């Protein structure tokens, strides 16, 4: 890497917390350890050509999907994912990058796929159940990452051996066929971050208890990386160059995850 190298990160800027992501990426430029970073608000397909990596922010996954459809961005982003270029979905972005999502409106949600997981929309409860929790994230060091969870999706299952998933696209279940692999060549899943049971918050006063869904349907193989305890809640997963986090790292001052993603981009350049 030459010292002048610039990484351009596109942030899909149709709806949601894109501005905060852009600020976090730009703030990396004050740190000497990272390369020069440019963050670009992406609204049109041709802007993707300028990008080395792409973020789908948190917000409302249905609204983002609709905006992508209207802006002719669905197919270009599919092609982006298929080509193995780095992509990171946070919260609503995680839902869009999941292979299967439950809890959506009937037929109401287009998924991009990219990561072989099944997520439940709003699985941690409603807005009043929003919370912060220390996320164990070994790739970022020993210090837990403060995860901000706002109507966040829950990872209900890892689907590394999914092959072709045939779930009817009705009853609030949406499935992306983008990851269908005839020859079993999907990259392995890597569990990157989780909330240990003792770090899970109790419900705020007056609010209903969050609905915690332990990820018990964990396959034995081929999942890379350290294994959290079975009662831990998985909140960050990587598969090849696709990264998903159920929380909002752009809403904290901790830029370790943004730096991690810039490094993912650098490795592909
Ligand atoms: N619950 C939202 C959805 O379904 C995601 C919330 C968020 O991104 N903070 O899209």
């Amino acid at each position: 890497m030459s010292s002048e190298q610039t990484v351009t990160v596109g942030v899909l800027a149709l709806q949601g917390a894109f501005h905060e992501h852009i600020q976090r990426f730009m703030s990396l430029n004050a740190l000497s350890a990272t390369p020069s970073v440019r963050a670009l608000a992406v609204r049109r397909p041709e802007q993707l050509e300028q990008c080395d990596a792409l973020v789908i922010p948190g917000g409302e996954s249905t609204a983002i999907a609709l905006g992508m459809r209207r802006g002719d961005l669905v197919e270009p982003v599919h092609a982006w994912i298929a080509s193995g270029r780095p992509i990171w979905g946070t919260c609503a972005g995680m839902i869009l990058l999941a292979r299967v999502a439950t809890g959506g409106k009937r037929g109401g949600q287009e998924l991009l796929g990219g990561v072989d997981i099944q997520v439940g929309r709003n699985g941690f409860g409603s807005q009043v159940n929003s919370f912060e929790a220390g996320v164990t994230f070994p790739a970022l060091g020993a210090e837990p990452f403060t995860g901000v969870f706002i109507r966040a999706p829950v990872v209900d299952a890892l689907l590394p051996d999914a092959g072709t998933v045939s779930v009817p696209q009705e009853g609030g279940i949406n499935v992306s066929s983008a990851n269908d692999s005839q020859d079993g060549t999907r990259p392995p899943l890597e569990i990157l971050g989780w909330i240990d049971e003792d770090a899970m918050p109790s419900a705020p006063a007056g609010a209903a208890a969050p609905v915690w869904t332990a990820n018990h349907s964990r396959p034995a193989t081929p999942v890379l990386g350290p294994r959290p305890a079975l009662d831990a809640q998985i909140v960050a997963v990587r598969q090849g160059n696709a990264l998903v986090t159920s929380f909002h790292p752009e809403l904290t001052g901790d830029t370790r995850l943004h730096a991690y993603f810039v490094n993912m981009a650098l490795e592909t350049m």
Side-chain angles (χ1 to χ4, degrees):
M1 183 189 92
S2 80
S3 54
E4 293 91 54
Q5 190 162 18
T6 298
V7 178
T8 302
V9 183
V11 181
L12 199 65
L14 302 173
Q15 192 270 338
F18 54 86
H19 184 64
E20 292 83 351
H21 264 300
I22 289 172
Q23 284 182 324
R24 286 292 160 268
F25 281 115
M26 297 308 286
S27 74
L28 292 175
N29 289 313
L31 310 172
S32 54
T34 50
S36 165
V37 182
R38 192 165 76 99
L40 186 72
V42 171
R43 298 190 175 88
R44 295 186 312 279
E46 62 272 20
Q47 290 176 289
L48 292 172
E49 287 156 30
Q50 300 170 47
C51 302
D52 303 306
L54 182 65
V55 172
I56 305 188
E60 194 56 48
S61 53
T62 330
I64 295 173
L66 272 174
M68 289 182 72
R69 181 46 73 195
R70 286 193 191 118
D72 293 325
L73 276 154
V74 174
E75 280 74 21
V77 175
H78 264 306
W80 176 284
I81 296 168
S83 73
R85 277 173 285 176
I87 189 159
W88 176 19
T90 58
C91 203
M94 173 194 249
I95 296 168
L96 290 166
L97 292 184
R99 186 172 202 173
V100 181
T102 61
K105 292 196 188 94
R106 185 187 168 105
Q109 189 149 6
E110 195 158 18
L111 300 181
L112 299 162
V115 182
D116 292 323
I117 54 172
Q118 176 172 326
V119 301
R121 283 184 73 193
N122 305 322
F124 288 107
S126 63
Q127 192 82 19
V128 287
N129 301 119
S130 297
F131 63 94
E132 290 185 10
V135 175
T136 303
F137 209 122
L140 300 181
E143 180 72 23
F145 192 96
T146 301
V148 177
F149 294 80
I150 305 168
R151 293 192 304 119
V154 156
V155 178
D156 281 329
L158 305 173
L159 310 167
D161 307 313
T164 301
V165 181
S166 56
V167 181
Q169 306 225 3
E170 57 185 42
I173 300 178
N174 294 278
V175 182
S176 164
S177 57
N179 306 1
D180 287 357
S181 156
Q182 310 306 325
D183 53 3
T185 54
R186 297 281 302 146
L189 287 161
E190 189 173 358
I191 300 170
L192 283 184
W194 60 88
I195 313 175
D196 288 307
E197 210 205 354
D198 59 6
M200 290 186 188
S202 46
V211 187
W212 298 104
T213 315
N215 326 94
H216 287 303
S217 50
R218 276 186 220 168
T221 56
V223 177
L224 295 175
R227 292 305 201 91
L230 266 184
D231 52 13
Q233 188 71 50
I234 295 170
V235 295
V237 178
R238 178 172 171 179
Q239 186 169 26
N241 281 324
L243 170 68
V244 286
T245 53
S246 44
F247 50 97
H248 280 262
E250 77 288 1
L251 299 184
T252 67
D254 189 340
T255 51
R256 283 180 294 164
L257 251 170
H258 288 80
Y260 176 91
F261 187 60
V262 166
N263 275 321
M264 272 175 66
L266 268 179
E267 282 162 16
T268 63
M269 289 169 69

